[in-house]
């Protein structure tokens, strides 16, 4: 129990201090060596980055996770004893406050095995944990596999001859070196050079699909400040009959250099990855081997290489979440749980203090503690879920359904069916602590406010945290709570500094309950978005565009009637007349409700783009009556067939949802490809499609000048079993199970990006033409980007 508590705290500190950084301080390698006819030594080697340490197998309870080894398959061998380890260091670890054994720099673990067969294969996984002086990383698992070299078959060979037995010789016929060439203007060429011994050869990157021989392959695990420009390029290989594999294959002899062009998107760039190759001669082949590579680049950012929208979209998202949080805090001020507290609290500080300056100081301190408490809450959400989970929230069906139910409960509470309250014992204890006086007392006064007002602020906070986590990533909840608490705390400081303003404050009354009702109906409308996300991801067809809009029209129509006084809820006070602000707000809601109605017949409704399902996800994709744009704007191939899948594409565009099919058609049509990485539950994707793609200039270009391939990264359709493979993303091994997983991996592996929308223009050789693009509602910028991509395609074709 103590160990789990310590680890949780250390993980929280680690996440908070490295929100946008991925640490991978340990590289593992494995080797097997036959030490006799019946024994072999398996060696696990850990190369540890400076400043980090790896823990021993043997640790006391209450400390870090020890390194451990689990063998899953023992083919042709038996374990002899336990895994042995080196001396290491035994010192006090300040992370855990106890003496532990650990390794720095390099660590070796050895397992002896008894061989029971000429052919052996041993597999399993190891678990390890690393820390430095500031943080600990979560425990990781690493799979391993050993194949012990076969012994000599010449049993009667003389001792002097055995040293020349080719079967016991270790071959290393290929040496790899890596270099980089500065091409100017922030562009570089990465060079992977293989020097090959005489009589040996290394295989090409392109081999027949049916062959068992592995082609040379490159994986880029980490890309920071750089962007790949196309794919790895190889020179013309030798193609002839391979006597070992008994088929015609392509390979290189003596020397070969593979190249990859990259562009700097920041002044400093870093690339890390590995290549996999296989070498053979005329008699034998060696096992495929992985070789790690690393490049560090620096220079000017390549002209035009900054991705459109990508650098600023996150900033805009955080600013938007901060503003939403601030508005949420302002609304919370107008609820019956908070508003009456303002004059009472300010009066307390100004009257209880010895002078006005002290009263203002205490009120400001009170406001600071309100901000502190709510920001800590936002931080706690970040720590609890972590970066990966927060990124997955927007497309996870169960999370979206949970949020839908949660917001519906909050809405019903605001409408007056019941109140959400915290245990009274919490409030009583916090209130007692506030009587201590001094800074501690002020802190508990702020804490008491957060507890007693929870029935009003809880639903607002819950809604805000959900939206912030889904749309703002790791920093979203923190930014949202900063805005919320700032709005909540500001009046206390201002009214303490200018107490005369209290006389101009409106008096508490039934209007405070009206604020809660309005918030409840708005939360009900927002909840529908999460139900729509879940429906879109699984393509259930239960909440199509028309039904979504019909429910919204009902909700906002009810809100308009309520504001005009035609409807009353349980806790509403009788109203003989309607105030001017309430009437004006009701008028705005009524106009918005009327604005929604044409959407039932196919109107685009750009003001709310991204909220309802897209136009093509509706009962009548062509618009009510069948006279819409999709059927009249289809693109036909030379043989008269409809190109792509216009019924399931924005604006009836002839888009493809399969990469290979789209590339094949692009070659046939002689057009460049616009690759669109998108998602069913991606709000910004819908905004781009409905606000930018709908522009006649953009629509014309997408329809006539490009082949559009839209790949949905949250598509839940399962891949065929033979395509469900394990891949490495960001240094971690994951299994591709769905079509969406496949496209998500493709985006991360090729372009070093995993956010949507993400647009790339390609030629027929799958080389990237110019910079990529992301969310940016600037239509002119998008048109120029498309034109530049088209011009680049025409210059090389």
């Amino acid at each position: 129990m103590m160990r789990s508590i310590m680890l949780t705290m250390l993980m929280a500190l680690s996440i908070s201090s490295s929100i946008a950084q991925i640490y991978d301080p340990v590289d593992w390698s494995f080797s097997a060596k036959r030490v006799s006819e019946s024994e072999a030594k398996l060696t696990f080697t850990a190369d540890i980055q400076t400043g980090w340490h790896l823990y021993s197998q043997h640790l006391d309870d209450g400390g870090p996770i020890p390194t451990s080894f689990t063998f899953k398959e023992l083919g042709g061998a038996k374990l002899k004893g336990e895994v042995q380890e080196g001396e290491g260091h035994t010192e006090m670890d300040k992370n855990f406050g106890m003496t532990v054994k650990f390794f720095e720099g390099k660590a070796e673990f050895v397992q002896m095995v008894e061989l029971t067969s000429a052919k052996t294969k041993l597999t399993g996984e190891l678990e390890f944990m690393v820390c430095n002086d500031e943080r600990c990383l979560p425990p990781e698992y690493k799979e391993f596999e050993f194949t012990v070299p076969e012994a000599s078959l010449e049993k009667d060979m003389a001792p002097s001859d055995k040293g020349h037995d080719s079967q016991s010789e270790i071959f290393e016929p290929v040496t790899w070196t890596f270099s980089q060439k500065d091409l100017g203007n922030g562009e570089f060429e990465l060079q992977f050079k293989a020097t090959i011994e005489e009589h040996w050869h290394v295989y090409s990157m392109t081999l027949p699909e049916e062959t068992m021989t592995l082609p040379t392959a490159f994986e880029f695990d980490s890309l920071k400040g750089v962007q790949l420009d196309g794919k790895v390029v190889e020179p013309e290989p030798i193609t002839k009959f391979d006597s070992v594999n008994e088929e015609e294959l392509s390979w290189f002899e003596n020397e070969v250099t593979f190249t990859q062009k990259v562009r700097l998107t920041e002044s400093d760039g870093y690339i890390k990855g590995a290549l996999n190759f296989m070498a053979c001669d005329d008699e034998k082949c060696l096992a495929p081997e992985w070789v790690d590579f690393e490049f560090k680049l620096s220079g000017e950012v390549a002209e035009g290489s900054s991705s459109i929208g990508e650098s600023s979209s996150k900033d805009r998202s955080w600013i938007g979440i901060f503003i939403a949080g601030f508005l949420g805090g302002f609304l919370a001020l107008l609820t019956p749980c908070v508003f009456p507290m303002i004059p009472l609290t300010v009066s307390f500080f100004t009257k209880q203090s010895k002078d006005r300056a002290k009263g203002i100081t205490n009120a400001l301190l009170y406001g600071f503690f309100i901000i502190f408490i709510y920001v800590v809450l936002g931080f706690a959400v970040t720590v609890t879920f972590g970066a990966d989970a927060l990124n997955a929230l927007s497309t996870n069906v169960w999370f979206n359904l949970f949020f839908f139910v949660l917001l519906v409960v909050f809405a019903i509470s605001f409408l007056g069916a019941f109140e959400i309250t915290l245990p009274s014992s919490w409030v009583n204890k916090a209130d007692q602590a506030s009587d201590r006086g001094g800074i501690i007392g002020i802190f508990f006064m702020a804490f008491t406010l957060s507890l007693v007002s929870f029935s009003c602020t809880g639903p607002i906070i819950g809604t805000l945290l959900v939206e912030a986590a889904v749309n703002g990533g790791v920093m979203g909840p923190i930014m949202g709570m900063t805005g919320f608490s700032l709005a909540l705390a500001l009046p206390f400081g201002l009214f303490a500094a200018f107490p005369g303003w209290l006389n101009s404050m409106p008096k508490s009354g039934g209007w405070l309950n009206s604020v809660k009702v309005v918030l409840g109906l708005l939360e009900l409308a927002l909840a529908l978005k999460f139900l729509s996300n879940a429906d879109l991801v699984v393509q259930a067809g239960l909440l199509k565009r028309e039904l979504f809009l019909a429910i919204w029209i009902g909700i906002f129509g009810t809100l308009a009637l309520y504001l005009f006084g035609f409807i009353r809820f349980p806790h509403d006070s009788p109203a003989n007349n309607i105030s001017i602000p309430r009437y004006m707000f009701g008028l705005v809601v009524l106009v918005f409700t009327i604005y929604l109605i044409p959407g039932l017949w196919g109107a685009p409704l750009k003001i709310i783009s991204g909220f309802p399902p897209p136009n093509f996800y509706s009962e009548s994709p062509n618009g009510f009556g069948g006279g819409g744009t999709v059927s009249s704007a289809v693109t036909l191939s030379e043989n008269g067939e409809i190109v792509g899948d216009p019924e399931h594409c924005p604006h009836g565009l002839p888009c493809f949802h399969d990469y290979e099919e789209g590339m094949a058609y692009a070659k046939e049509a002689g057009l460049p490809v616009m690759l669109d990485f998108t998602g069913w539950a991606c709000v910004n994707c819908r905004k781009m499609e409905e606000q930018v793609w709908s522009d006649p200039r953009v629509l014309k270009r997408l329809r006539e000048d490009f082949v559009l391939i839209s790949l949905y990264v949250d598509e839940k359709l399962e891949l065929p079993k033979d395509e469900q493979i394990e891949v490495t993303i960001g240094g971690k091994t994951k299994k591709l199970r769905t079509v969406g997983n496949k496209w998500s991996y493709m985006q991360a592996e090729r372009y070093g990006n995993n956010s949507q929308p993400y647009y790339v223009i390609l030629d027929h050789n799958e080389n990237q033409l110019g910079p990529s693009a992301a969310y940016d509602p600037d239509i002119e910028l998008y048109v120029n980007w498309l034109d530049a991509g088209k011009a680049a395609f025409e210059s090389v074709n």
Side-chain angles (χ1 to χ4, degrees), residues 58-214:
H58 313 295
L59 300 175
D60 294 332
D61 292 335
I65 300 294
T67 302
S68 61
F69 302 82
T70 303
F71 286 83
K72 297 181 178 179
E73 179 183 354
L74 295 172
K78 294 191 300 184
L79 300 181
K80 291 188 65 177
E82 298 181 347
V83 176
Q84 303 298 311
E85 62 182 35
E87 292 184 1
H89 305 276
T90 302
E91 297 177 10
M92 171 63 69
D93 189 323
K94 66 179 184 180
N95 288 322
F96 295 92
M98 60 187 295
T99 301
V100 297
K101 179 181 177 182
F102 58 85
F103 303 93
E104 295 179 332
K106 188 173 184 178
E108 283 193 352
F109 300 82
V110 175
Q111 172 69 64
M112 300 300 296
V113 295
E114 180 182 338
L115 305 176
T116 59
S117 173
K119 294 184 178 181
T120 58
K121 181 180 179 182
L122 301 94
T123 64
E125 67 178 15
L126 62 89
E127 182 185 14
F128 69 98
M129 179 176 174
V130 289
C131 297
N132 63 13
D133 292 338
E134 298 177 353
R135 63 180 63 86
C136 289
L137 302 185
E140 285 192 47
Y141 292 91
K142 180 75 174 179
E143 293 186 345
F144 58 78
E145 180 177 325
F146 294 96
T147 302
V148 180
E150 293 185 25
S152 169
L153 299 178
E154 304 287 342
K155 298 287 185 181
D156 301 325
M157 188 182 295
S160 59
D161 295 329
K162 286 186 179 181
H164 300 286
D165 178 15
S166 63
Q167 295 199 36
S168 62
E169 186 177 349
I170 297 177
F171 298 100
E172 293 184 355
V174 182
T175 302
W176 287 91
T177 55
F178 310 109
S179 60
Q180 58 205 46
K181 181 179 179 181
D182 190 343
L183 303 178
N185 190 31
E187 297 182 355
F188 289 82
E189 182 181 78
L190 310 182
Q191 300 177 340
F192 310 82
K193 182 179 178 181
T195 303
I196 310 165
E197 290 182 3
E198 190 177 0
H199 307 305
W200 289 86
H201 54 260
V202 170
Y203 290 99
S204 164
M205 296 170 60
T206 307
L207 296 179
E209 291 185 4
E210 63 274 8
T211 185
M212 298 297 291
T213 306
L214 291 181

Side-chain angles (χ1 to χ4, degrees), residues 318-624:
W318 289 351
I319 292 171
I321 289 171
F322 176 85
I323 293 173
F326 189 86
L327 293 175
F330 179 73
L331 290 173
L333 281 172
L334 303 179
T335 60
C337 311
V338 180
F339 189 81
M341 299 291 291
I342 297 175
L344 293 175
T345 307
V346 172
S347 298
F348 173 81
F349 284 126
T350 54
K351 291 178 181 179
Q352 295 296 321
S353 303
K354 295 180 180 179
D355 53 50
R356 183 177 175 225
K358 184 66 174 176
I360 294 175
T361 301
N362 288 340
L364 291 175
L365 196 58
Y366 180 74
F368 168 77
F369 283 133
I370 291 174
I371 296 173
F372 174 78
I373 289 167
Y374 284 107
V375 170
V376 167
L377 175 61
F379 174 74
V381 171
T382 297
V383 170
T384 302
F385 289 101
D388 291 339
L390 290 178
N391 287 334
L393 290 183
S394 62
T395 60
N396 185 283
V397 175
W398 298 110
F399 268 121
N400 276 285
L401 289 175
F402 171 74
F403 290 153
F404 165 71
V405 173
L406 183 68
L407 295 190
V408 169
V409 171
F410 285 160
I412 295 173
S413 170
F414 264 160
L415 294 176
F418 53 84
E419 282 198 352
I420 301 174
T421 58
L422 295 174
S424 58
S425 59
W426 295 11
V427 179
N428 294 335
K429 289 180 180 178
D431 188 47
Q432 292 170 8
S434 68
D435 293 334
R436 296 181 182 180
I439 294 178
I440 298 297
I442 295 173
F443 170 79
F444 278 103
M445 281 187 68
F447 190 54
T448 302
L449 173 70
S450 65
L451 295 181
V452 298
S453 64
F454 186 80
S455 62
C456 294
T457 61
I460 300 175
I461 293 170
T463 305
L464 179 62
L465 286 176
V466 168
E467 276 292 299
V470 170
N471 297 316
V474 178
M475 282 296 294
I478 297 176
M479 294 297 291
M481 286 296 96
T482 301
F484 178 88
S485 56
L486 182 62
L488 204 61
L490 206 55
F492 294 97
L494 289 176
F495 283 122
F498 306 99
W501 291 4
L502 288 172
N503 297 325
S504 61
M505 282 183 62
K507 295 181 179 180
S508 302
W511 66 272
L512 291 174
N513 188 71
S514 299
V515 172
K516 288 182 65 176
V517 172
V518 170
L519 291 176
L521 290 170
L522 291 177
E523 291 215 0
L524 203 57
L526 180 61
L528 207 63
K529 173 58 183 170
F530 292 97
L531 181 61
S532 174
N533 284 348
D535 179 64
L536 279 166
V537 170
V538 299
Q539 293 288 284
L542 300 177
L543 190 60
K544 293 199 172 183
R545 186 179 176 89
E546 292 89 346
L547 180 58
F548 182 101
L549 292 175
I551 297 174
W552 262 38
I553 291 169
I555 292 173
F556 286 100
T558 300
L559 179 55
L561 292 174
Y562 174 77
L563 291 170
F564 289 136
F566 292 105
I567 297 175
R568 283 174 55 190
F569 284 87
H571 299 295
D572 284 326
S573 302
N576 297 323
N577 51 55
I578 298 174
S579 65
I580 298 300
R582 177 167 175 166
Y583 174 79
M584 295 301 295
F585 184 45
L587 195 60
V588 171
V589 174
L590 179 61
V591 170
F592 178 71
T593 305
I594 296 172
Y595 169 80
L596 293 176
I597 294 174
L600 297 173
W601 285 270
L605 304 180
K606 290 187 178 181
I607 291 178
I608 59 168
S609 61
F611 274 89
N615 273 314
F616 61 84
Y617 192 75
S618 59
E619 296 176 11
S620 301
N622 297 334
F624 184 77

Side-chain angles (χ1 to χ4, degrees), residues 530-718:
F530 292 97
L531 181 61
S532 174
N533 284 348
D535 179 64
L536 279 166
V537 170
V538 299
Q539 293 288 284
L542 300 177
L543 190 60
K544 293 199 172 183
R545 186 179 176 89
E546 292 89 346
L547 180 58
F548 182 101
L549 292 175
I551 297 174
W552 262 38
I553 291 169
I555 292 173
F556 286 100
T558 300
L559 179 55
L561 292 174
Y562 174 77
L563 291 170
F564 289 136
F566 292 105
I567 297 175
R568 283 174 55 190
F569 284 87
H571 299 295
D572 284 326
S573 302
N576 297 323
N577 51 55
I578 298 174
S579 65
I580 298 300
R582 177 167 175 166
Y583 174 79
M584 295 301 295
F585 184 45
L587 195 60
V588 171
V589 174
L590 179 61
V591 170
F592 178 71
T593 305
I594 296 172
Y595 169 80
L596 293 176
I597 294 174
L600 297 173
W601 285 270
L605 304 180
K606 290 187 178 181
I607 291 178
I608 59 168
S609 61
F611 274 89
N615 273 314
F616 61 84
Y617 192 75
S618 59
E619 296 176 11
S620 301
N622 297 334
F624 184 77
T629 58
V630 174
S631 60
S632 60
V634 294
T635 302
L636 302 178
S637 64
E638 292 182 358
N639 57 8
E641 295 181 352
I642 295 177
V643 174
D645 184 16
E647 289 191 1
H648 298 92
C649 297
H651 312 293
L653 287 166
C655 76
F656 292 83
H657 298 305
D658 182 270
Y659 180 75
E660 299 299 336
E661 287 182 13
M663 286 301 301
Y665 178 75
K667 294 175 182 178
E668 177 187 330
L671 295 173
V673 166
M674 195 191 91
L675 206 53
D676 164 34
F677 290 99
T678 183
W680 291 113
C682 172
V683 173
N684 284 342
C685 301
R686 301 293 86 75
K687 287 182 178 179
M688 286 294 290
E689 292 162 4
E690 295 170 15
Q691 295 180 3
V692 178
W693 288 16
S694 61
D695 184 88
R697 294 171 297 166
V698 176
L699 203 55
K700 183 176 184 296
R701 285 165 171 78
L702 292 178
R703 191 180 301 281
E704 299 176 4
D705 299 337
F706 295 89
V707 172
L708 176 61
I709 304 178
S710 294
L711 306 177
Y712 287 82
V713 299
D714 52 4
E715 178 62 66
K716 298 302 181 184
L717 184 67
E718 279 205 8

